[in-house]
Amino acid sequence: MVSKRLQQIPASGTIAISNLVSQLKSEGVDIISFSMGEPDFVTPSNVVDATKASLDRGFTHYTPSTGIPELRAAVANREKAVNNLDVTAKNVLITPCKHAIFMTALGYLDPGDEVLLPDPGWVTYEAVVKLCGAVPVYVPLKYENGFVLDPADVEALVTPKTKMIILNTPANPTGCVLPVDTIKAIAEIAMAHDIMVLADEIYENIIYSGKHFSIASIPGMMDRTITISGLSKTAAMTGWRVGWAVSSEQNIKDLNKLQSHSVSCCVSFVQEGAVEALNGPQDDIVNMVNQFKTRRDLALDLLSEIDSLECQVPEGAFYLFPKYSQDIPSAKLAEKMLNEAHVAITPGTAFGPHGEGFFRISYAASEDQIRAGIDRIKTFMKTL
């Protein structure tokens, strides 16, 4: 029998739907999928070529557990130039992003510690918190406030047991980009109460207006922040499983203890491809973000024609999180939409209790698919 800790965590709602979509497609069903958080673009050719060259010269063995020096330096240079972080290569650990989140939870949480996390928010946060025996405390995000985390709500939930705050900006599933003043207010709370921050910034380069702001750039926050990012979304490299954690040298040394006893290191030749993704031409990435913005605007226009839906305008990532008026649980809505309209969405409750009454659409799909899929949704919603 599995452990009690495994029994208490939820399965990934997005992965479950993805698996079902794959099964239905294999059976010949015409499914339009808006369920996966994955760019539909291919990895830039210069990154692929650099990785092939790495394989051709036999770079297929272990690397240092912290990552190859060239990639650590490339990440540090980028974080310094783009996010104003005072870092060097010693502040960087190369690791898959999800593994970085898991290691941060395992490394800094003890049983009974409380963790403040956004609701709705990515379900993996809840899962890793529970796996460590810690307690997730949900900070409700309000539709009428654009899903912006309210520092007053955070402050009200802080107790002597609060050990960590999880920030995700731009956010999954809402696409919300936290304002700088909000991030600064959260930093003040963290410093006042001696709380760690896990800053998930994986969508940091997919922003349509304004500029990304890292909480670790605030004086006094580097030592208490683990900043996690990578190339999965930015460079359409989801399958490559390469990312990084950035923090103080001591925090990186501590996380590396877990890395060395788990995955040992990130894939060698993938790391050389990642160097090229960071240091090489950025034209493909810029083009991808521009296309995402075009798709966002198209999807919003089409959804506005559906009377039972309303949707905030997301400023980042590639998701819409529309609110619906029908009296039906979001899980049931998603099931019926898949079976009857052959459109895959993700129910709002896959992202926490306050996700009820919403569903997530990923517009990482072609414009033709967006038009056809939302047309099916429009027809389907009229039947409820």
Side-chain angles (χ1 to χ4, degrees):
M1 179 178 292
V2 299
S3 67
K4 291 180 181 178
R5 72 172 66 89
L6 187 56
Q7 292 178 38
Q8 68 177 336
I9 68 168
S12 169
T14 53
I15 297 299
I17 292 171
S18 175
N19 291 340
L20 183 55
V21 167
S22 296
Q23 177 186 331
L24 290 171
K25 285 184 174 181
S26 71
E27 296 170 358
V29 182
D30 176 25
I31 302 292
I32 296 177
S33 180
F34 296 142
S35 63
M36 281 300 287
E38 176 176 41
D40 59 318
F41 300 91
V42 297
T43 302
S45 59
N46 61 304
V47 177
V48 174
D49 290 342
T51 307
K52 287 179 180 178
S54 181
L55 282 165
D56 286 342
R57 64 182 181 81
F59 191 60
T60 57
H61 301 284
Y62 288 130
T63 73
S65 58
T66 50
I68 62 174
E70 298 88 345
L71 182 52
R72 296 179 76 194
V75 171
N77 290 339
R78 186 199 172 281
E79 292 290 353
K80 182 181 294 185
V82 177
N83 291 330
N84 197 33
L85 300 190
D86 183 16
V87 294
T88 69
K90 293 180 179 180
N91 298 101
V92 177
L93 175 67
I94 304 302
T95 186
C97 297
K98 268 191 173 181
H99 192 56
I101 293 170
F102 180 80
M103 290 193 299
T104 299
L106 191 61
Y108 294 91
L109 298 177
D110 289 313
D113 286 343
E114 293 178 353
V115 180
L116 305 184
L117 48 88
D119 178 18
W122 190 34
V123 70
T124 291
Y125 305 140
E126 175 191 359
V128 298
V129 168
K130 288 183 174 180
L131 278 171
C132 297
V135 181
V137 177
Y138 304 100
V139 184
L141 306 180
K142 303 176 183 67
Y143 174 84
E144 56 271 21
N145 294 341
F147 299 111
V148 173
L149 189 67
D150 188 336
D153 291 338
V154 174
E155 181 78 57
L157 291 170
V158 171
T159 76
K161 294 183 178 181
T162 305
K163 183 68 176 292
M164 183 178 290
I165 298 170
I166 295 179
L167 289 186
N168 177 212
T169 180
N172 174 16
T174 64
C176 170
V177 176
L178 290 180
V180 173
D181 287 348
T182 298
I183 296 173
K184 288 182 176 179
I186 299 299
E188 290 178 4
I189 294 170
M191 288 187 282
H193 297 280
D194 193 23
I195 299 171
M196 290 284 296
V197 173
L198 189 163
D200 181 355
E201 302 183 356
I202 190 64
Y203 297 97
E204 62 179 302
N205 293 311
I206 306 176
I207 292 181
Y208 307 118
S209 62
K211 187 176 181 292
H212 176 72
F213 181 79
S214 289
I215 192 169
S217 67
I218 298 172
M221 285 303 296
M222 175 62 74
D223 287 350
R224 68 175 65 255
T225 303
I226 310 294
T227 302
I228 295 169
S229 192
L231 296 164
S232 292
K233 317 298 181 178
T234 297
M237 293 174 66
T238 51
W240 298 61
R241 314 315 296 150
V242 60
W244 50 81
V246 177
S247 191
S248 68
E249 288 187 37
Q250 185 59 54
N251 285 339
I252 293 303
K253 288 178 181 178
D254 291 337
L255 288 176
N256 191 44
K257 291 180 185 178
L258 291 171
Q259 176 108 316
S260 62
H261 288 298
S262 53
V263 297
S264 296
C265 63
C266 235
V267 178
S268 54
F269 47 87
V270 163
Q271 292 186 58
E272 293 205 329
V275 172
E276 175 63 21
L278 288 169
N279 292 345
Q282 303 295 301
D283 296 353
D284 286 343
I285 294 172
V286 172
N287 178 61
M288 181 180 72
V289 174
N290 289 336
Q291 289 194 53
F292 276 143
K293 184 177 186 298
T294 298
R295 295 172 180 186
R296 179 202 66 172
D297 295 344
L298 172 63
L300 283 169
D301 286 344
L302 295 171
L303 286 177
S304 69
E305 299 174 1
I306 304 176
D307 293 337
S308 59
L309 300 182
E310 55 181 307
C311 189
Q312 294 283 0
V313 179
E315 292 299 332
F318 41 75
Y319 306 114
L320 300 179
F321 202 60
K323 179 180 181 181
Y324 61 89
S325 60
Q326 287 87 345
D327 185 18
I328 178 174
S330 63
K332 185 66 175 178
L333 176 74
E335 179 186 354
K336 286 176 65 66
M337 192 180 296
L338 181 59
N339 291 327
E340 297 175 17
H342 296 163
V343 176
I345 57 168
T346 308
T349 48
F351 304 99
H354 283 84
E356 188 59 274
F358 298 84
F359 60 89
R360 191 190 76 174
I361 289 176
S362 168
Y363 51 88
S366 71
E367 292 183 33
D368 287 344
Q369 284 183 311
I370 290 170
R371 289 191 181 90
I374 295 181
D375 185 60
R376 292 185 190 183
I377 292 174
K378 182 177 182 179
T379 301
F380 169 77
M381 297 301 287
K382 292 178 180 177
T383 68
L384 298 177

